[in-house]
């Protein structure tokens, strides 16, 4: 009798004795056999099949930043299923009118948004202020970490972002009445001190479904993202009970290099072909330095004021720095930096090594900055997910951040996310100013508002972005250094400006440096 015949005979006898209950060693032999097994295949034929099981009132994570990396095919499938209502949707923003999650706002299938930025979406803002939708505003980095923690089995965590703001104290309107008055506020959050620094307790998010946009995915569920389309998609893919990936390219196992897999297939339940074209929210093309600066600064007296601010801000860059720049004037500062200074620019949507705007025809919907504008990558750039981006920010790996402001207080408190009667959202600012001991926070702004009222105050009147975080304030009139205990010191003054003029336009008291210098 051959060895293989003997093995089959022993197996049959053992099967009869155990009534089919094989012990582990014999079961293991079956895996080594040549008997065909059904292949793992997570690819489904349609978006309708991909969202099967999504129910009314479920919690849905939706990747994307602006219109970059948005799972539009899956969103369209939900739009075509009007019985799915009352969704709690977690996303950085809610798309724009007529695109992305804006479609589900139009169809009134969203009951609550957990987001960091409302932006220019007037439909979203209107529904929120009319009591048609709840809004839990969350700092952008906190949102990414809440999604990551929920997928990692961590129920809550402490973060330095938003300490001393309405996020911590529970003064954010969660729901409005149809008449526009506040019906419910967010609850206050616990604060604990570690190493002499205060931190806010944030709870993780757990979701029923996650919609994720990928560049490539295979039938095993392995996923690869492209450039800035990684954003929230990676953290969200790891979180939900059912993660559905819509991929631009569905490939065979092995076609994605193992080291290039951003999300392993263990997290993914379904893969479907993406059928919706990618969109760009703000197409911006490369211009000459003069064109770029003049176009962004405006005209007349306002332009000359802003140019003075930007030129002075450029002096803050030092060779070898890692810097993050807010939109507006801060983004123009690198234009005035000499070639002898090399700075790596970080964009909180997941880029380190931000390049200039693209030439016309070279724009890429997967390459945008934090302002949703088309950009390019510098040589040696790196791309990553939002959770890693904000991890390096909170940890103080960024040397410098330059931001705009609505108000700054005498002790360095910053208000730059909300004007009365307008709903925009935090974006990433609360995280960017959360570690002032390691990340120098410089504010660029005009000295007074449009009505001539001071913007440098004893105490900020608008809701805070961060407490005791601003190190330096640069305006068209002067430069102030800020001590979180002793207050403001005037260290530079612009040509033609007097100390008396600065005093007349500054509510907060300040000292004058013994070696007061010219501003430029």
């Amino acid at each position: 009798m051959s060895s293989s015949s003997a093995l089959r005979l022993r197996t049959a006898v053992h099967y009869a004795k155990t009534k089919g209950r094989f012990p582990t060693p014999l079961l293991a032999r079956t895996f080594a056999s040549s008997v065909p097994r059904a292949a793992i295949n997570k690819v489904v034929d349609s978006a309708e099949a991909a969202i099967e099981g999504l129910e009314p009132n479920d919690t849905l994570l939706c990747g994307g930043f602006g219109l970059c990396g948005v799972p539009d095919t899956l969103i369209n499938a939900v739009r075509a299923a009007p019985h799915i209502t009352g969704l709690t949707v977690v996303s950085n923003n809610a798309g724009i009118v007529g695109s992305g999650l804006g479609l589900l706002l139009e169809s009134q299938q969203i009951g609550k948004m957990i987001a960091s930025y409302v932006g220019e979406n007037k439909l979203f803002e209107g529904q929120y202020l009319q009591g048609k939708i709840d809004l839990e505003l969350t700092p952008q980095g906190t949102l990414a970490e809440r999604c990551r923690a929920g997928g990692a089995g961590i129920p809550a965590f402490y973060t330095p972002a938003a300490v001393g703001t309405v996020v911590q104290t529970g003064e954010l309107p969660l729901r409005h009445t149809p008449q526009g008055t506040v019906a419910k506020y967010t609850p206050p959050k616990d604060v604990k001190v570690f190493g002499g620094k205060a931190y806010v307790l944030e709870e993780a998010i757990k979701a029923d479904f996650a919609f994720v946009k990928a560049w490539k995915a295979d039938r095993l569920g392995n996923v690869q993202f492209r450039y800035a389309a990684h954003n929230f998609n990676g953290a969200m893919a790891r979180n939900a009970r059912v993660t559905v990936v819509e991929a631009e390219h569905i490939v065979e196992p092995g076609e994605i290099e193992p080291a290039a897999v951003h999300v392993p297939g263990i997290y993914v339940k379904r893969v479907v072909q993406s059928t919706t074209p990618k969109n760009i929210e703000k197409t911006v093309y490369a211009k000459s330095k003069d064109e770029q600066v003049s176009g962004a600064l405006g005209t007349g007296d306002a332009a000359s004021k802003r140019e003075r601010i930007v030129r002075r801000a450029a002096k803050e860059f030092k060779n070898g720095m890692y810097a993050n720049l807010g939109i507006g004037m801060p983004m123009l500062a690198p234009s005035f930096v000499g070639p002898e200074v090399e700075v790596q620019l970080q964009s909180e949507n997941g880029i380190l090594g931000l390049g200039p705007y693209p030439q016309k025809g070279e724009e890429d919907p997967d390459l945008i900055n934090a302002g949703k504008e088309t950009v390019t990558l510098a040589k040696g750039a790196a791309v990553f997910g939002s959770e890693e981006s904000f991890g390096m920010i909170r940890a103080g790996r960024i040397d410098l951040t330059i931001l705009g402001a609505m108000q700054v207080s005498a002790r360095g408190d910053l208000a730059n996310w909300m004007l009365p009667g307008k709903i925009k959202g935090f974006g990433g600012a609360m995280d960017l100013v959360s570690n002032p001991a390691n990340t120098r926070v410089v504010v660029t702004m005009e000295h007074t508002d449009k009505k001539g009222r001071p913007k440098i105050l004893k105490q900020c009147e608008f809701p805070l972005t961060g407490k005791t975080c601003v190190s330096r304030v640069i305006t068209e009139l002067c430069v102030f250094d800020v001590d979180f205990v002793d207050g403001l010191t005037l260290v530079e003054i612009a040509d033609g400006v007097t100390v008396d003029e600065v005093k007349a336009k500054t509510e907060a008291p300040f000292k004058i440096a013994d070696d007061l210098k010219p501003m430029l």
Side-chain angles (χ1 to χ4, degrees):
M1 181 182 294
S2 68
S3 59
S4 59
S5 298
L7 174 61
R8 286 196 295 271
L9 179 60
R10 289 198 304 273
T11 302
V13 171
H14 189 84
Y15 184 88
K17 288 181 178 179
T18 61
K19 297 182 179 179
R21 295 187 295 274
F22 279 176
T24 302
L26 282 177
L27 182 61
R29 288 179 184 272
T30 65
F31 284 100
S33 74
S34 59
V35 177
R37 292 184 290 115
I40 297 173
N41 188 359
K42 298 181 179 181
V43 178
V44 296
D45 293 333
S46 66
E48 292 73 24
I51 69 168
E52 184 178 346
L54 181 65
E55 301 289 343
N57 305 313
D58 273 355
T59 296
L60 168 65
L61 307 179
C62 196
F65 182 87
L67 299 183
C68 177
V70 176
D72 288 304
T73 301
L74 296 170
I75 291 172
N76 290 339
V78 176
R79 173 70 182 269
H83 68 284
I84 303 176
T85 58
L87 293 171
T88 293
V89 178
V90 183
S91 184
N92 179 68
N93 52 289
I96 60 175
V97 176
S99 184
L101 288 172
L103 296 175
L104 300 188
L105 290 170
E106 290 177 8
S107 59
Q108 299 188 10
Q109 291 172 270
I110 300 176
K112 178 181 179 180
M113 281 293 310
I114 302 177
S116 80
Y117 192 67
V118 177
E120 291 73 40
N121 192 326
K122 295 298 182 183
L123 177 62
F124 188 0
E125 182 180 22
Q127 289 186 355
Y128 169 57
L129 294 176
Q130 294 162 20
K132 296 179 179 179
I133 187 171
D134 290 359
L135 172 60
E136 185 180 326
L137 270 178
T138 302
Q140 191 174 323
T142 299
L143 183 66
E145 193 64 16
R146 290 179 70 188
C147 292
R148 189 206 67 81
I154 298 173
F157 57 90
Y158 283 94
T159 174
V163 171
T165 73
V166 291
V167 175
Q168 176 212 313
T169 58
E171 299 171 84
L172 273 172
L174 177 68
R175 181 182 307 138
H176 288 83
T177 66
Q179 292 74 36
T181 58
V182 177
K184 185 177 180 180
Y185 287 95
T186 55
K189 300 179 186 295
D190 180 54
V191 177
K192 193 168 182 177
V193 175
F194 298 92
K197 182 178 173 69
Y199 294 80
V200 173
L201 180 67
E202 289 282 358
E203 293 188 13
I205 293 172
K206 284 294 291 181
D208 301 295
F209 269 67
F211 288 174
V212 170
K213 177 69 175 288
W215 181 39
K216 293 180 180 179
D218 62 25
R219 62 173 174 80
L220 299 176
N222 295 312
V223 169
Q224 184 180 12
F225 302 113
R226 184 172 181 271
Y227 298 143
H230 195 151
N231 53 63
F232 284 83
N233 278 302
M236 290 180 171
R238 292 170 170 83
N239 181 298
R241 175 174 52 83
V242 178
T243 291
V244 186
V245 173
E246 70 165 81
E248 294 175 53
H249 306 282
I250 298 177
V251 300
E252 286 300 312
E255 290 188 44
I256 304 175
E257 286 290 328
V261 172
H262 292 131
V263 178
I266 193 170
Y267 297 105
V268 176
K269 287 290 191 293
R270 299 168 194 161
V271 175
V272 69
Q273 178 66 51
S274 180
T275 58
T276 308
K278 294 188 285 190
N279 295 312
I280 296 175
E281 188 169 345
K282 298 178 182 178
T283 303
V284 182
Y285 298 120
K287 299 177 182 177
S288 70
K289 175 182 171 180
D290 291 341
E291 287 177 321
Q292 179 183 342
V293 171
S294 62
L297 293 180
T299 58
D301 186 49
S304 63
K305 287 181 182 179
R306 292 170 189 156
E307 182 173 344
R308 189 184 306 169
I309 295 168
V310 171
R311 285 184 178 276
R312 176 56 188 81
K315 292 186 175 183
E316 297 297 313
F317 295 111
K318 302 293 184 281
N319 198 37
M321 268 187 172
Y322 294 97
N324 182 293
L325 307 179
I327 59 175
M329 283 193 289
M331 286 294 292
L332 297 176
S335 301
F336 296 96
V337 177
E340 72 281 0
V341 177
E342 182 179 11
V343 175
Q344 289 244 10
L345 298 181
Q346 196 252 21
S347 187
E348 61 258 38
N349 58 311
I351 297 174
L352 184 63
L354 196 63
Y357 296 123
Q359 297 294 329
K360 191 169 185 179
E362 296 179 1
E363 64 273 15
D364 188 327
D366 292 334
L367 276 176
I368 64 168
N369 63 16
K372 321 297 192 308
E373 300 169 329
T374 48
V375 293
T376 61
L377 297 177
K379 287 184 179 180
V383 291
F384 33 81
S386 294
E387 73 281 11
E388 180 168 2
S389 178
F390 282 98
M392 64 179 71
I393 288 169
R394 287 190 302 270
R397 303 288 182 176
I398 305 299
D399 300 300
L400 171 71
T401 184
I402 304 180
L403 301 169
M406 297 162 187
Q407 294 175 343
V408 177
S409 82
R411 297 293 185 271
D413 298 340
L414 170 67
N416 78 341
W417 71 271
M418 178 182 155
L419 286 169
K422 294 185 180 292
I423 306 296
K424 291 291 184 184
F426 313 125
M430 287 189 173
D431 298 271
L432 284 164
V433 302
S434 68
N435 194 346
N438 292 300
T439 300
R440 181 172 171 80
V441 179
V442 174
V443 162
T444 55
M445 66 178 186
E446 294 182 43
H447 208 95
T448 60
D449 66 16
K450 293 179 181 178
K451 295 183 178 180
R453 295 172 298 199
K455 296 168 69 174
I456 303 173
L457 309 174
K458 294 176 183 176
Q459 292 186 332
C460 293
E461 298 167 352
F462 298 156
L464 294 185
T465 304
K467 287 185 67 66
T468 56
C469 59
V470 177
S471 297
R472 174 165 283 179
V473 181
I474 300 172
T475 77
E476 78 278 13
L477 301 182
C478 63
V479 177
F480 284 115
D481 277 352
V482 186
D483 185 284
F484 301 150
V485 176
D486 295 332
L488 301 171
T489 299
L490 180 66
V491 294
E492 297 178 24
I493 193 164
D495 185 43
V497 176
T498 65
V499 172
D500 286 341
E501 182 181 355
V502 175
K503 286 182 177 178
K505 295 179 178 179
T506 307
E507 183 198 86
F510 59 86
K511 302 178 209 173
I512 302 172
D514 294 335
D515 58 341
L516 182 63
K517 295 181 173 64
M519 185 169 156
L520 289 172

